[in-house]
Amino acid sequence: RKEVEQDPGPFNVPEGATVAFNCTYSNSASQSFFWYRQDCRKEPKLLMSVYSSGNEDGRFTAQLNRASQYISLLIRDSKLSDSATYLCVVIPIQGAQKLVFGQGTRLTINP
Amino acid sequence: NAGVTQTPKFRILKIGQSMTLQCTQDMNHNYMYWYRQDPGMGLKLIYYSVGAGITDKGEVPNGYNVSRSTTEDFPLRLELAAPSQTSVYFCASSYSSNWPFFGQGTRLTVV
């Protein structure tokens, strides 16, 4: 089993729709979680951290389910500019030097 | 602040040639990383450093070398380039167990 797994997609959704995707992790002792966004031919950029209590940033909501070992990202009222690849990142208990990236989920928002 | 700066942005190498990918950060981050990303794939860790003078192997270190003589700089050396090293290389930095901040990447083609 991979340390971090994501559905690679692609997800194609119409503008204005709500879309959600998950990321599962295998190490139950993992300590920190993040979502990154990567545009085509660009570097990954931090989208948001994922806290135990869940967190929201505008149209984006991230949640952590430690019991089932997954994190989720929900995008409401999707915009064309949300088209990108979304990467989940997990920092294990050993520290940030061992952080692991998922392979990414590709999202395309259609007009 | 410039953040994480990588040079060059693009490079074509012939098989067997060597080169150094430069990476410098001005955020006084203690952790630095080198990743490679092949088309449609996630990021794979090549080498990382938790501070000046300390480096360690990641998931795919073969064919590469690094050094960390200062906090700011973390060059990646390719010896005897091979077509399998054609990839996009990202340097990143972070404070300890925090999220990494990426450079813009170096696109390397080995022919």
Side-chain angles (χ1 to χ4, degrees):
Chain A
R1 183 182 172 185
K2 289 183 181 177
E3 286 188 75
V4 177
E5 286 198 80
Q6 292 182 252
D7 181 344
F11 284 58
N12 290 285
V13 301
E15 193 174 8
T18 295
V19 60
F21 24 83
N22 291 340
C23 167
T24 59
Y25 59 95
S26 61
N27 186 342
S28 60
S30 298
Q31 57 174 319
S32 302
F33 309 87
F34 306 95
W35 282 104
Y36 275 71
R37 171 194 171 122
Q38 186 174 24
D39 294 301
C40 188
R41 301 176 74 83
K42 297 284 189 180
E43 75 274 23
K45 292 183 178 177
L46 181 71
L47 178 66
M48 57 199 306
S49 302
V50 187
Y51 304 123
S52 297
S53 55
N55 51 307
E56 190 173 309
D57 183 2
R59 298 181 293 107
F60 297 83
T61 300
Q63 293 197 309
L64 167 64
N65 185 318
R66 282 197 182 273
S68 300
Q69 294 182 211
Y70 72 87
I71 63 173
S72 63
L73 180 67
L74 178 79
I75 306 174
R76 289 181 299 277
D77 187 24
S78 54
K79 312 290 184 193
L80 296 177
S81 58
D82 294 333
S83 296
T85 296
Y86 292 84
L87 303 163
C88 71
V89 180
V90 176
I91 296 182
I93 195 69
Q94 298 94 323
Q97 68 271 29
K98 297 290 186 183
L99 63 87
V100 182
F101 281 82
Q103 68 187 98
T105 297
R106 205 164 100 209
L107 174 65
T108 300
I109 307 299
N110 301 308
Chain B
N1 282 355
V4 178
T5 302
Q6 291 184 235
T7 56
K9 288 189 170 44
F10 304 93
R11 183 72 186 267
I12 298 175
L13 274 184
K14 292 186 178 177
I15 294 171
Q17 287 185 320
S18 301
M19 77 165 294
T20 299
L21 281 65
Q22 302 291 346
C23 175
T24 187
Q25 53 95 6
D26 61 0
M27 297 174 284
N28 203 33
H29 286 167
N30 52 344
Y31 284 24
M32 294 189 75
Y33 314 82
W34 274 105
Y35 290 92
R36 61 176 287 172
Q37 187 175 37
D38 298 325
M41 305 294 285
L43 291 140
K44 293 185 178 179
L45 182 64
I46 304 171
Y47 271 94
Y48 67 91
S49 168
V50 298
I54 306 169
T55 63
D56 208 345
K57 296 177 181 179
E59 185 184 354
V60 290
N62 291 345
Y64 307 94
N65 277 300
V66 293
S67 60
R68 184 102 181 265
S69 56
T70 67
T71 299
E72 295 79 19
D73 299 307
F74 191 41
L76 177 72
R77 178 85 178 157
L78 277 73
E79 305 282 1
L80 299 173
S84 61
Q85 293 178 305
T86 294
S87 190
V88 180
Y89 291 83
F90 289 105
C91 178
S93 70
S94 70
Y95 281 124
S96 301
S97 291
N98 208 340
W99 51 271
F101 186 92
F102 283 82
Q104 292 184 315
T106 295
R107 295 188 174 275
L108 176 68
T109 302
V110 181
V111 296

